[in-house]
Amino acid sequence: MDRQPSTTARSRLTAAASRLGTALAARVEIDRRALAAFRIGLGVLLIVDLLARSRSLTAFYTDGGVLPSRAFFADYSTIRSVHAFVGEPWAVGVLFAVAAVFALALTVGYRTRLATVVSWLLLLSLHTRNPMVLNAGDSLLLMLLFWSVFLPLGARWSVDAVKRADASAGAGSDADADSTTTGDTDSASRSPSGPAVATVATMAVLVQVLVMYATNAVHKYESELWMNGDAIAYIMQADQFTYLLGNHLAEFHGLLRAFSLLWIGLLFASPLLLLLRGLPRAAVASLFVGMHLGMAATIRIGLFPLVVVVAFIPFYQTPVWDLAERGVALLDRSGSRTRWRARFVSTARRFLAVTGAFPRPAVDGQGLRSRVERLSAGVARGRVLVTTVVPYVFLVLIVLSSAQAVGYADTPEPGEEVLEAVEMDQSWRMFAPDPLHTTRWYVVPGTLEDGSEWDVFRDAAVDYDRPARVETTYPSARWRKYLSNVYSADNEKHRSYFANYLCDDWNRTHETSVEQLTVTQSYERTIPGNDTVEAANEFDLITYDCSGPLVQND
């Protein structure tokens, strides 16, 4: 009888822990269809990113560009990148092509885990090759890929799913295989694993997005312009960022103030992304998605808005996907969905038949076979470490790093080194605490060998006046990011690298050589609402002699 109170207390504690675990699992679970759509989105983003970067492949990633290998290894001696060991454009192009192949494999879900790992490693190498051109979108994409390594991205809508279904169903079960691989809800619900999955990795990929917003919210809280609603109106004054609709919104100060306050409200409401479930969570997520699509239509910040949109796919839980499937089935009276599904399965099977016909190394001898079996058993035992412990450790580290970024905690030094090595340290300042509102553009007058003067950056006559559309003076958003980093006092060496690249590029592509050039930044700062010019000037970043070798300024 004495043991009964203790037993009752223990049972209550166990029940409470069970309810807490169930509640947590319900909030971090991700529908397998969401993971499939997330996988496709990541693969497409990687391909689009590679295509966009290839426009400046020589400039940013080769020995003939703004950061030659000798300069890279001199300035970043502790960093290693596969891309840094090849300096010719054709060799870097090969690496781009290899990355595109694995990105395509990720998109269709062929050997998904391997494709994800290799895509992450190649993207990490590419980012490391030139840190001067990276933005928040690059960081988020890299981290989403990292967490994807531990997620079952190939469970649905994939070549891998077709292969598994055929292996388990056997001959004569094609109809069941088709429904299993393409996301039929009823089939999924009958599966022992269910339509959704809840693991440390699913929690991590959701928390990653929440960490980004929470950190940025704290940074913005420190800004008077953000808290009084004037921030976006100020950002719209920086014409190097604005394009499309953004070029026409600067005069609507009241509307921009409303968007500023709405955005601040959403940032501080971001915990609802985990606290809510089902359709209410989807509603909040859709507000964020809508705001980022608005960013994509107004400010030129590369792929960042689209990366965030893809990052939100896992937040749409099973009720949303069930509703979407019922809606598609209702609208699809012609049966095109079924035909497309059958085509995908048929194509996947033909592809698997071709790849399965490739010769494989034979395992000869009982000793070798035994070693292979022992290795397989070891891999199986280590799977728990890889899929649970590793993401858990990194999840703790990114939370600590985020807290450190806003002054609330400290990350242990070994943890900081690990995060820096894989470029996962958290900052998320994006236009915070104080938004940029100065319009900046570059003029690079060069003295040619015939004595004339020409802007060797824009290949135009030298003109210091503010252009009608400043964003057009930058070849791309990545170029704008690069030049903003060149302007930073911490990157003075890169001014000479940039100047040397302009000399070489001009002399390689023009008959009349340039002998000397000056990199000049012009700027203009206006006050929103009355277009009053608060400040305007120009100053020289560097004057460079093109006749000599690369000069690494101290």
Side-chain angles (χ1 to χ4, degrees):
M1 295 293 294
D2 294 339
R3 295 181 180 178
Q4 187 173 358
S6 176
T7 303
T8 302
R10 188 162 50 247
S11 63
R12 288 177 179 174
L13 184 61
T14 302
S18 177
R19 287 194 298 271
L20 180 62
T22 301
L24 178 62
R27 282 158 178 78
V28 303
E29 69 178 13
I30 301 177
D31 192 282
R32 295 174 192 273
R33 291 162 291 184
L35 289 175
F38 180 59
R39 183 199 75 237
I40 295 169
L42 287 178
V44 172
L45 280 175
L46 287 173
I47 293 172
V48 172
D49 183 50
L50 288 167
L51 290 174
R53 289 176 189 269
S54 65
R55 295 170 52 199
S56 303
L57 183 148
T58 299
F60 289 148
Y61 306 108
T62 71
D63 285 345
V66 297
L67 188 59
S69 295
R70 62 186 184 277
F72 172 83
F73 288 117
D75 292 351
Y76 306 97
S77 57
T78 60
I79 297 177
R80 290 294 177 265
S81 165
V82 174
H83 291 75
F85 290 96
V86 291
E88 294 297 323
W90 68 266
V92 178
V94 168
L95 287 176
F96 271 52
V98 171
V101 169
F102 280 97
L104 181 60
L106 176 63
T107 305
V108 301
Y110 175 66
R111 303 208 173 191
T112 309
R113 187 88 63 185
L114 175 64
T116 307
V117 171
V118 175
S119 293
W120 174 68
L121 289 173
L122 287 174
L123 188 62
L124 176 62
S125 173
L126 184 60
H127 285 188
T128 304
R129 175 61 181 88
N130 194 342
M132 296 283 287
V133 301
L134 301 179
N135 58 29
D138 297 315
S139 300
L140 181 58
L141 179 57
L142 186 68
M143 282 181 272
L144 293 177
L145 267 179
F146 174 81
W147 298 123
S148 296
V149 171
F150 311 101
L151 295 170
L153 297 187
R156 307 292 292 275
W157 304 347
S158 67
V159 176
D160 289 345
V162 173
K163 182 178 180 180
R164 285 192 299 270
D166 286 349
S168 61
S173 301
D174 291 348
D176 292 339
D178 289 354
S179 64
T180 303
T181 59
T182 53
D184 180 79
T185 306
D186 295 335
S187 175
S189 61
R190 290 193 299 267
S191 169
S193 57
V197 57
T199 64
V200 175
T202 62
M203 179 168 59
V205 76
L206 298 177
V207 169
Q208 178 65 76
V209 176
L210 179 59
V211 159
M212 177 179 70
Y213 286 124
T215 306
N216 189 242
V218 176
H219 287 313
K220 283 183 167 64
Y221 181 73
E222 299 172 356
S223 169
E224 181 180 348
L225 287 177
W226 276 108
M227 297 313 295
N228 66 19
D230 291 330
I232 293 182
Y234 272 81
I235 292 172
M236 290 299 169
Q237 302 301 307
D239 287 352
Q240 69 269 27
F241 287 100
T242 60
Y243 76 146
L244 300 178
L245 292 177
N247 289 331
H248 307 285
L249 288 177
E251 59 189 80
F252 299 97
H253 191 77
L255 179 64
L256 296 178
R257 190 171 191 275
F259 277 126
S260 290
L261 295 175
L262 174 60
W263 184 235
I264 285 293
L266 278 177
L267 288 179
F268 283 101
S270 57
L272 293 176
L273 290 168
L274 280 184
L275 295 176
L276 298 177
R277 296 170 53 195
L279 295 179
R281 174 186 287 188
V284 176
S286 297
L287 287 175
F288 278 95
V289 169
M291 292 295 286
H292 282 285
L293 291 177
M295 292 180 194
T298 54
I299 53 178
R300 199 181 185 198
I301 48 178
L303 290 179
F304 175 69
L306 299 182
V307 174
V308 177
V309 169
V310 170
F312 267 103
I313 293 176
F315 284 90
Y316 292 88
Q317 294 185 299
T318 297
V320 178
W321 291 95
D322 288 346
L323 185 63
E325 285 205 340
R326 287 195 294 270
V328 170
L330 185 64
L331 295 174
D332 183 26
R333 300 184 181 277
S334 63
S336 59
R337 175 171 170 260
T338 303
R339 290 194 297 272
W340 277 104
R341 180 170 61 191
R343 266 182 218 162
F344 174 78
V345 173
S346 176
T347 302
R349 284 172 176 160
R350 286 198 299 270
F351 177 76
L352 289 168
V354 171
T355 56
F358 292 157
R360 300 179 182 275
V363 180
D364 297 325
Q366 187 65 32
L368 181 57
R369 184 175 292 107
S370 176
R371 286 194 292 272
V372 170
E373 291 174 353
R374 287 198 300 271
L375 178 61
S376 299
V379 169
R381 287 192 299 271
R383 189 169 298 165
V384 175
L385 173 67
V386 173
T387 60
T388 303
V389 177
V390 172
Y392 177 78
V393 170
F394 274 93
L395 176 59
V396 171
L397 288 178
I398 68 161
V399 171
L400 287 175
S401 179
S402 176
Q404 178 174 284
V406 292
Y408 289 164
D410 290 320
T411 306
E413 187 173 342
E416 282 189 0
E417 293 175 355
V418 170
L419 290 178
E420 289 177 3
V422 293
E423 291 193 6
M424 289 182 64
D425 47 319
Q426 311 289 301
S427 177
W428 308 118
R429 290 188 173 271
M430 296 98 74
F431 294 104
D434 295 317
L436 298 173
H437 60 281
T438 301
T439 299
R440 300 183 187 275
W441 65 98
Y442 288 82
V443 182
V444 186
T447 304
L448 307 185
E449 61 180 353
D450 62 3
S452 62
E453 190 176 60
W454 198 251
D455 188 333
V456 299
F457 178 53
R458 291 188 278 174
D459 198 1
V462 176
D463 184 2
Y464 294 96
D465 293 337
R466 174 172 174 162
R469 294 179 58 192
V470 177
E471 82 274 9
T472 62
T473 65
Y474 296 88
S476 65
R478 206 167 290 284
W479 266 105
R480 190 200 62 239
K481 182 65 177 180
Y482 168 75
L483 288 172
S484 70
N485 283 327
V486 167
Y487 162 69
S488 171
D490 296 333
N491 296 315
E492 288 189 3
K493 283 187 176 182
H494 289 271
R495 299 176 185 179
S496 60
Y497 303 159
F498 174 53
N500 185 76
Y501 162 74
L502 291 177
C503 293
D504 290 347
D505 183 63
W506 178 273
N507 292 337
R508 184 173 58 251
T509 56
H510 294 77
E511 293 183 1
T512 306
S513 299
V514 60
E515 296 181 340
Q516 180 178 287
L517 58 81
T518 300
V519 179
T520 303
Q521 185 194 95
S522 298
Y523 69 90
E524 182 179 285
R525 187 180 305 118
T526 57
I527 299 175
N530 57 17
D531 293 330
T532 301
V533 177
E534 184 181 17
N537 208 337
E538 60 193 44
F539 58 91
D540 297 339
L541 293 179
I542 186 173
T543 298
Y544 193 84
D545 183 1
C546 295
S547 62
L550 171 65
V551 177
Q552 292 180 258
N553 290 351
D554 295 327

